[in-house]
Amino acid sequence: MVSDKKNLSPSSSRKLNSPPAEETTPLIDNTKPLSSHPKTLANVFIAIVGAGVLGMPYAFKRTGWIMGLLILSFIAASTTYCMTLLVQIRRKLDSYENGTTNISSFGDLGFAVCGTLGRFVVDVLITLSQAGFCIGYLIFIANTLLHLFHDEPFSDLSLSSGISRFTVKSLYIWGCFPFQLGLNSIKTLTHLAPLSIFADVVDIGAMGVVMLEDLRLIMLRRREVKAFGGVSVFFYGMGVALFGYEGIAMVLPIESEMKDNAKFNKILALSMGLTTLMYGAFGALGYFAFGDKTKDIITSNLGTGWISSLVQLGLCINLFFTFPLMMNPVYEIVERRFSGGRYCLWLRWLLVLIVSLVALFVPNFADFLSLVGSSVCCCLGFILPGLFHLLAFKDEQGCKGCSLDIGIMIFGVVLAISGTWFSLMEILSAKDSRDLVFSNGDLIHEDIQNCSSFEPYS
């Protein structure tokens, strides 16, 4: 992996790889106005917080609330440290070239340290992670609309028998498809900027309403909750927590846009700390409010009042318009590699189709969060930062520093393998249960038709 990498020590005559023309252009333009401390804090918060927070209460249900808080705190601290490693590497490389390295993205850093292979690996992982986030958005939208407009016991029953069988959930996903084709055809993010602001406001407002409802229910009735889960759910919780901190790919662009970037690490730690407090409170309150009845998407536990309906619809609209924003890094990577960096409409539409097809076959929102977090986010968050830092500082740091980098990489590999395995088992078991419902669908419908009254089973 490092065969085309030059020595990064100061005595080296060539400190960085000289990329070919198509590799030198950073994915993100670095000519933007510099950001103040408060704006940088807000940018980090916006880059991190996403739809993953909605699966936190269900993860706490699986892991237990104390184990959930411990996992969340550990992942937050570890992720923050690995983010600072990326900043350290970029600053070192900049010091060699008097700040002219043009490293403004994770992919640029991968190329500077490991050459073309480094950029390729980062590009693949970022593509998978961003697409994974968007798959989660579609699952959330479809499941939320099911909860709002259909009787829950039959929301997953087939609408037609035979090979061509469609669920109500699939109809909602396909209903979003043509509109997403239109939104994702927009060439520039400038026209989508107001939608991003709207999405952030809706996110914070919806979480506030949900937490207030949780507090009201906790005061009315205390449910039985567990503090600790088993070993298998430990890795499950790790995956969900990793998905929640989804902004590592944006650390370098945000740091490069900060006026006084010498204080970036403090701003990053503060933002991560506030985010962790919010995640912990949201997850614990949701679990305390609903106990064993906590669903994979916490908003599905809300009642049928107009306030809860508005919150859920608002979140659906939020994620619907966030979809093209999250897919934009994927388009930049794919268009750079397959169309010479030029805008390509058919590639964008093909990617939207692939994301929609994958969303059709994932039954559970939180299980999918754990899968993406354990596999892709684990590689981006732990393995690559540890590897890049080891390669960049191997001639300067002692055995302790090298051992720490290697330890981070080993931890990331163990977590990726175990977490991915347990998450796949959860998804497959949920799929088997859904298939059992499908196999008995005709019988259930026949029973309903033959009964004058029917009480839904639980």
Side-chain angles (χ1 to χ4, degrees):
M1 182 172 181
V2 297
S3 58
D4 56 351
K5 170 188 166 292
K6 299 296 181 182
N7 195 327
L8 293 175
S9 63
S11 60
S12 175
S13 60
R14 184 186 178 194
K15 286 79 180 178
L16 295 173
N17 291 293
S18 297
E22 66 272 12
E23 296 284 3
T24 56
T25 303
L27 293 181
I28 299 179
D29 185 13
N30 59 359
T31 61
K32 299 176 182 178
L34 298 180
S35 303
S36 62
H37 291 177
K39 186 175 181 181
T40 301
L41 181 69
N43 287 339
V44 174
F45 178 83
I46 292 170
I48 294 172
V49 177
V53 67
L54 300 172
M56 288 295 173
Y58 182 79
F60 277 40
K61 168 190 169 183
R62 301 293 305 277
T63 63
W65 68 276
I66 293 182
M67 180 183 285
L69 290 174
L70 292 175
I71 290 174
L72 199 61
S73 301
F74 175 76
I75 291 296
S78 302
T79 303
T80 303
Y81 177 75
C82 290
M83 288 177 176
T84 61
L85 293 184
L86 299 180
V87 176
Q88 289 178 22
I89 299 169
R90 199 263 292 279
R91 289 177 179 175
K92 177 181 179 179
L93 300 180
D94 278 347
S95 68
Y96 292 159
E97 299 292 331
N98 296 320
T100 61
T101 56
N102 290 328
I103 300 175
S104 60
S105 71
F106 206 158
D108 297 333
L109 187 68
F111 183 86
V113 176
C114 296
T116 303
L117 182 58
R119 182 189 283 278
F120 175 77
V121 172
V122 173
D123 284 352
V124 169
L125 291 176
I126 289 180
T127 298
L128 292 176
S129 65
Q130 297 296 117
F133 299 149
C134 293
I135 292 169
Y137 295 168
L138 292 179
I139 296 171
F140 174 86
I141 292 172
N143 288 348
T144 300
L145 294 178
L146 280 173
H147 171 70
L148 287 175
F149 301 118
H150 295 273
D151 292 334
E152 191 170 336
F154 301 102
S155 60
D156 279 336
L157 292 182
S158 59
L159 299 181
S160 61
S161 59
I163 297 178
S164 58
R165 180 168 53 196
F166 293 94
T167 64
V168 180
K169 172 185 172 181
S170 69
L171 293 181
Y172 282 123
I173 292 177
W174 286 122
C176 294
F177 180 71
F179 299 98
Q180 286 298 340
L181 291 180
L183 285 175
N184 286 268
S185 300
I186 299 175
K187 293 183 179 181
T188 175
L189 289 177
T190 304
H191 302 300
L192 297 175
L195 300 179
S196 178
I197 298 174
F198 168 77
D200 297 328
V201 172
V202 171
D203 267 341
I204 296 174
M207 283 191 291
V209 172
V210 173
M211 292 174 71
L212 289 176
E213 179 67 12
D214 291 341
L215 286 171
R216 186 185 70 82
L217 294 175
I218 292 172
M219 294 176 65
L220 291 176
R221 177 185 177 185
R222 292 189 177 182
R223 295 183 179 272
E224 183 178 351
V225 296
K226 61 183 179 181
F228 295 92
V231 177
S232 61
V233 293
F234 170 80
F235 293 104
Y236 178 91
M238 283 280 196
V240 175
L242 271 170
F243 189 101
Y245 296 102
E246 60 187 48
I248 190 168
M250 294 300 297
V251 170
L252 294 179
I254 293 175
E255 190 265 347
S256 66
E257 295 173 8
M258 185 176 177
K259 288 181 181 178
D260 185 12
N261 57 12
K263 297 182 179 179
F264 176 77
N265 287 349
K266 293 182 179 180
I267 298 294
L268 175 64
L270 177 60
S271 183
M272 290 290 286
L274 294 175
T275 303
T276 302
L277 288 175
M278 184 187 69
Y279 277 9
F282 190 85
L285 289 176
Y287 179 38
F288 290 159
F290 300 103
D292 288 338
K293 295 184 179 180
T294 304
K295 299 181 181 179
D296 61 324
I297 302 175
I298 188 60
T299 52
S300 299
N301 284 107
L302 299 178
T304 57
W306 66 272
I307 294 181
S308 63
S309 297
L310 284 178
V311 168
Q312 295 177 76
L313 286 175
L315 286 171
C316 287
I317 295 172
N318 160 28
L319 297 182
F320 182 85
F321 287 112
T322 304
F323 186 103
L325 295 171
M326 297 300 288
M327 285 295 290
N328 191 260
V330 179
Y331 300 145
E332 290 178 335
I333 291 171
V334 173
E335 289 173 348
R336 171 164 52 80
R337 291 194 172 272
F338 295 100
S339 64
R342 297 184 299 273
Y343 172 84
C344 183
L345 181 62
W346 73 266
L347 272 177
R348 295 190 175 208
W349 284 16
L350 178 62
L351 290 169
V352 175
L353 175 62
I354 293 173
V355 167
S356 301
L357 289 174
V358 174
L360 292 173
F361 297 99
V362 181
N364 187 283
F365 178 72
D367 290 347
F368 184 75
L369 300 191
S370 180
L371 176 63
V372 176
S374 299
S375 55
V376 181
C377 295
C378 191
C379 294
L380 285 172
F382 294 122
I383 299 175
L384 291 186
L387 175 62
F388 291 167
H389 191 265
L390 177 64
L391 295 176
F393 288 87
K394 64 180 180 179
D395 296 328
E396 301 175 18
Q397 62 184 0
C399 294
K400 183 179 179 180
C402 293
S403 299
L404 182 58
D405 289 339
I406 294 173
I408 292 173
M409 293 166 57
I410 294 175
F411 170 74
V413 171
V414 172
L415 180 58
I417 295 175
S418 56
T420 300
W421 171 260
F422 286 116
S423 299
L424 284 174
M425 292 300 100
E426 292 290 338
I427 290 177
L428 293 177
S429 63
K431 183 178 183 299
D432 291 340
S433 300
R434 186 180 63 173
D435 290 342
L436 179 62
V437 174
F438 279 143
S439 65
N440 293 302
D442 294 336
L443 178 59
I444 294 174
H445 282 295
E446 182 178 353
D447 289 341
I448 295 174
Q449 293 174 356
N450 294 334
C451 293
S452 57
S453 63
F454 177 75
E455 182 177 354
Y457 57 90
S458 59

